Amino acid sequence: MDRTRLPRRRSAVRRAAAGVCLVAPVVALLWVPWYAQERPELAGVPFFYWYQLAWVPLCSLAVLAAYLLTRRQSEP
């Protein structure tokens, strides 16, 4: 395998992984019929509400992961 192609291939895989990190919360929150229910409750809060609120920190972690996957490494 050509050594110049390896960094490009790694870069493409990292960009694809970053894309998955960014698309997963969108799909999870736009697929409303999956979480449009009252049960299970968490501290008296219906599933519909606490599921959406749980995605607030999860979305920030997904964006952080995408950032870390796509940032450029400094040249030594």
Side-chain angles (χ1 to χ4, degrees), residues 30-70:
L30 287 180
W31 192 17
V32 177
W34 185 81
Y35 65 89
Q37 54 194 356
E38 291 185 25
R39 301 244 185 256
E41 291 183 356
L42 180 67
V45 178
F47 180 71
F48 181 78
Y49 295 111
W50 68 259
Y51 177 81
Q52 292 177 55
L53 289 174
W55 274 101
V56 173
L58 292 175
C59 285
S60 63
L61 291 175
V63 170
L64 174 65
Y67 167 73
L68 293 175
L69 285 167
T70 58

Side-chain angles (χ1 to χ4, degrees), residues 5-32:
R5 297 180 85 190
L6 188 59
R8 280 193 223 153
R9 187 167 288 190
R10 284 185 187 159
S11 177
V13 169
R14 291 171 72 101
R15 280 195 314 264
V20 169
C21 288
L22 295 175
V23 169
V26 173
V27 170
L29 288 168
L30 287 180
W31 192 17
V32 177

